[in-house]
Amino acid sequence: MSSQETQNVLHHWREAVPEDRLAHLIKDATRSLIRALQFRLADHNVSFGHWAFLRILWEQDGLTQRELSERAGVMEPTTFAAMKAMESLGYIERRHLPGNKKNLHVYLTRTGKALKKHLVPLAEEVNAIGTHGLKESEIKAARKVLLTIIANLAEDEAAMEAEERRLPSTRELYRRTNGGDA
């Protein structure tokens, strides 16, 4: 966000609609945090999309592409494309385990592992910038609020799944609204 865009967002929240929905405020805060991190990651030729997968693999190497998709909260084709790109960059390698030709497992290379010591401090820096001027108790309260929101919405989603409700694909939504094939 440019400086002017940031000022517009702040004006929106502080003056125009200070009581607007929390979801919009969280979205704007998330966008700002992501952009700040993207600037820093770009200095190391790492995209934000790759960052998400690197973080997961730093915690547990050797996951399948499906497991990576689930943990990152993205569709499998997105993960496939990212893994292909990350492999060409030398960050990961994909291989079958002996006796299992079905699943591809993803492993960090030495280069992928080494990125952690350079990139994690950048994320920590962004968090420090984002929380500058807040007391530790305020940060703890914000974490508690956000974790409660996540838990409540996960419970709601489980209830939807129990009712056999599902999210339609983009293609399905298009068909519903346009009365035809995509």
Side-chain angles (χ1 to χ4, degrees), residues 87-99:
E87 193 169 40
S88 71
L89 291 166
Y91 300 159
I92 59 120
E93 62 181 16
R94 297 179 288 175
R95 58 181 187 251
H96 295 282
L97 295 181

Side-chain angles (χ1 to χ4, degrees), residues 138-149:
E138 293 170 322
I139 295 168
K140 282 184 178 182
R143 287 183 58 82
K144 181 180 179 187
V145 167
L146 293 171
L147 288 169
T148 300
I149 289 170

Side-chain angles (χ1 to χ4, degrees), residues 23-42:
H24 294 283
L25 184 58
I26 292 169
K27 177 189 61 97
D28 284 344
T30 300
R31 183 183 307 144
S32 296
L33 288 165
I34 288 171
R35 293 216 11 109
L37 184 56
Q38 283 175 320
F39 279 113
R40 288 158 177 81
L41 293 174

Side-chain angles (χ1 to χ4, degrees), residues 93-109:
E93 62 181 16
R94 297 179 288 175
R95 58 181 187 251
H96 295 282
L97 295 181
N100 182 345
K101 295 291 182 196
K102 182 182 176 195
N103 295 324
L104 272 176
H105 292 262
V106 180
Y107 294 90
L108 289 166
T109 62

Side-chain angles (χ1 to χ4, degrees), residues 58-70:
W58 289 329
E59 295 302 315
Q60 186 174 356
D61 207 10
L63 297 170
T64 65
Q65 288 183 175
R66 173 169 283 157
E67 290 168 328
L68 275 171
S69 294
E70 290 169 358

